[in-house]
Amino acid sequence: MRVRAALSVVLLFAACGERDSYRRPDGRFRVTAAIAATGPAGPTTAANALAAAPADAAIVVFAPAALPPEAQRGARRTLLVGGDGPLPAGIAAAITGANGADAAVDLALLHCHGIEIPARIPLGAQVLTTANQAAGGARQTGPGDVVLQLLRMQHAALLSGEPTTDVVFRLGFVQVRDDARSHRPRAAVQAAAQRHKRLVVSSKVADGSDANVDALVAGLVDEGCRAIVLASDGPLTLATATAKAAAQKVALLALDPTLSTPASCVLGCEPAQLGRAAAAALHQLVPAGCALVELHGEATAPQFAAARHAFHEALQLRPN
């Protein structure tokens, strides 16, 4: 069902022929250009679009499109949708998926104590602005955040960080590839595990292939890990590891923004949530409305198409 829904979003944008003109019925917001800003010609195409855009237009950059240089953006408000890390200089707002590492570690510890954990945790988005960055940004509540709050209240003693037993649990962690973006969840998982004192983390780094991740996860099961956290940017297929973990009653917790990896529990902020949060941020930044220039990657990529579709729906934008 999820695959069919994602495909329908992609087909929607394909059917629109990548139109560069969308408008809200009352005219408050209107997309004057939607530019594919990746590939060799991307920077030039984006520069030309920005040169022709109104001076008071807002720029909406959907990752993985690159952020244009400040000289090209000028004084225009710019929103960055997707990606991660701190707020870039000169950006009005950056919308990222909430970090699920703390939640994954808490759920792993609950599993180690024999407590059943949810199969799916849809997290909210994180909105960073210059005003709230020092405080860590503004967190949008997702359905999974409510479930997490109830679990944390119910099992506050176990999750307090104070040991309730002399047993030390081994927690596995696998990142899909060796890049800067993948290192961040590993650091967050290790920091969260240190707070619990009775968790020892064994980390592995894969080569980006499902087969290698599968082998590394299966190896961590053999090492005696009671729970394993996987960090990826998309769905994984782990036939051997999934079967082995189930047989050994090991919890697999997948940090996956598509919420599609078959696991004991999958956590992530769906692309549509990012799109809705971006629309809300734009409403706050420019309540009277403005022209919009969209820079994006491949329109056929389901994650980014879903974020753009949700952004358009929240702003009530329709093709002209």
Side-chain angles (χ1 to χ4, degrees):
M1 181 69 71
R2 189 179 296 111
V3 172
R4 188 179 300 122
L7 180 60
S8 68
V9 172
V10 173
L11 292 177
L12 170 66
F13 279 98
C16 289
E18 276 301 287
R19 297 175 190 260
D20 62 359
S21 181
Y22 299 82
R23 180 178 291 271
R24 182 182 166 112
D26 62 9
R28 284 173 56 201
F29 291 101
R30 59 202 180 280
V31 177
T32 57
I35 306 299
T38 54
T44 300
T45 305
N48 292 338
L50 293 175
D56 60 349
I59 306 168
V60 185
V61 182
F62 292 90
L67 189 64
E70 192 167 0
Q72 293 178 9
R73 302 195 309 264
R76 300 182 183 97
R77 295 178 177 88
T78 302
L79 281 74
L80 179 59
V81 185
D84 54 11
L87 183 71
I91 301 304
I95 293 84
T96 66
N99 180 6
D102 282 355
V105 172
D106 282 355
L107 293 171
L109 186 61
L110 293 181
H111 169 79
C112 290
H113 283 282
I115 296 166
E116 185 177 358
I117 60 177
R120 193 170 184 270
I121 301 287
L123 299 171
Q126 193 84 356
V127 180
L128 288 170
T129 66
T130 52
N132 68 27
Q133 182 175 212
R139 177 70 178 272
Q140 306 291 318
T141 302
D145 292 302
V146 177
V147 174
L148 284 171
Q149 183 179 13
L150 292 174
L151 282 171
R152 283 167 167 159
M153 291 174 59
Q154 186 179 358
H155 303 289
L158 284 179
L159 300 175
S160 67
E162 294 302 319
T164 59
T165 176
D166 291 335
V167 177
V168 175
F169 300 110
R170 184 175 292 278
L171 173 66
F173 176 80
V174 177
Q175 65 186 60
V176 172
R177 57 185 59 84
D178 188 9
D179 59 20
R181 183 171 183 176
S182 301
H183 290 315
R184 280 187 278 269
R186 180 176 66 178
V189 165
Q190 289 174 332
Q194 286 175 356
R195 289 197 296 271
H196 287 300
K197 300 176 183 176
R198 292 296 179 183
L199 286 175
V200 175
V201 180
S202 179
S203 296
K204 306 290 183 182
V205 179
D207 63 8
S209 68
D210 284 15
N212 188 225
V213 175
D214 196 18
L216 292 176
V217 173
L220 287 171
V221 174
D222 291 337
E223 284 183 19
C225 291
R226 297 286 302 277
I228 300 169
V229 179
L230 320 172
S232 74
D233 52 9
L236 300 168
T237 302
L238 310 171
T240 301
T242 301
K244 181 171 283 192
Q248 299 294 326
K249 297 184 179 179
V250 174
L252 299 183
L253 300 104
L255 303 178
D256 170 14
T258 69
L259 296 174
S260 301
T261 296
S264 309
C265 177
V266 59
L267 308 90
C269 178
E270 294 177 294
Q273 188 83 0
L274 297 179
R276 288 189 288 270
L282 185 64
H283 268 296
Q284 290 187 336
L285 288 168
V286 197
C290 63
L292 303 173
V293 176
E294 292 183 355
L295 306 180
H296 58 83
E298 295 181 12
T300 54
Q303 291 186 50
F304 309 119
R308 291 177 64 216
H309 178 62
F311 178 74
H312 283 201
E313 284 294 302
L315 289 179
Q316 301 177 38
L317 296 173
R318 298 291 181 267
N320 282 343

